[in-house]
Amino acid sequence: MRHEEPRTRLGRPVLPLAEGASVAGVVLVLPAGEPVSAKGPSRLAALRMLPLARSLARAGSPEGLLVHTVRYGTRGWNGADASLAADAECAAREVVRRHGDVPVCLAGHGMGGRAALRAAGHPCRRPSPPAPGSPPPPRWRSSPRWPSTTSTSPPSPPPNPP
């Protein structure tokens, strides 16, 4: 059973745009879900994504980036229904309705990641681990919390005291 449009809401953006900025792009944050469940959306899953959503919003607001956390109709993927992916697609349509043809990024965790892949057109039957020898993921922009490094190798041990 596909969800109807009103069941999925974007609500307000996580943070408002910086003064004078216009919407240049939108990130839809997709919380985790469950393989099968008809229960309503999990508030805890949405709260777990809030630090990421706020960080993205603070960093992108001056350039016109809006961030929304998608509120699912149910918390389950639910087999062939792919309910979470249907909700992500519905949210992307709502972005276009509200803001026009702007770039949309889907960022998900757990089943939300699977929903993002499916909504973007990937069949994503089962997630798979990275291939051996594949490059490490890109690093976040440098910040006091996550300083950038020039090497991907582990840090050297501290020198022995004299």
Side-chain angles (χ1 to χ4, degrees), residues 32 76 82-83 85 90 115 117 124 154:
S83 301
C90 175
L117 287 170
C124 61

Side-chain angles (χ1 to χ4, degrees), residues 66-151:
L66 273 182
V67 180
H68 289 273
T69 300
V70 174
R71 297 178 193 158
Y72 301 129
T74 66
R75 70 177 71 179
W77 181 268
N78 300 323
D81 286 347
S83 301
L84 303 181
D87 290 344
E89 291 169 7
C90 175
R93 284 192 299 274
E94 178 64 13
V95 166
V96 171
R97 188 189 72 74
R98 289 185 192 185
H99 305 293
D101 189 19
V102 297
V104 176
C105 174
L106 303 169
H109 171 71
M111 284 289 178
R114 184 179 185 190
L117 287 170
R118 175 68 67 89
H122 189 283
C124 61
R125 289 169 184 62
R126 251 178 227 254
S128 60
S134 61
R139 296 206 179 262
W140 286 83
R141 209 175 353 170
S142 178
S143 75
R145 190 167 179 190
W146 294 294
S148 70
T149 60
T150 56
S151 171

Side-chain angles (χ1 to χ4, degrees), residues 12-27 56-68 98-99 102:
R12 294 184 315 225
V14 173
L15 295 173
L17 284 180
E19 193 167 329
S22 60
V23 178
V26 176
V27 175
L56 290 170
R58 278 192 299 270
S61 175
E63 287 83 28
L65 183 69
L66 273 182
V67 180
H68 289 273
R98 289 185 192 185
H99 305 293
V102 297

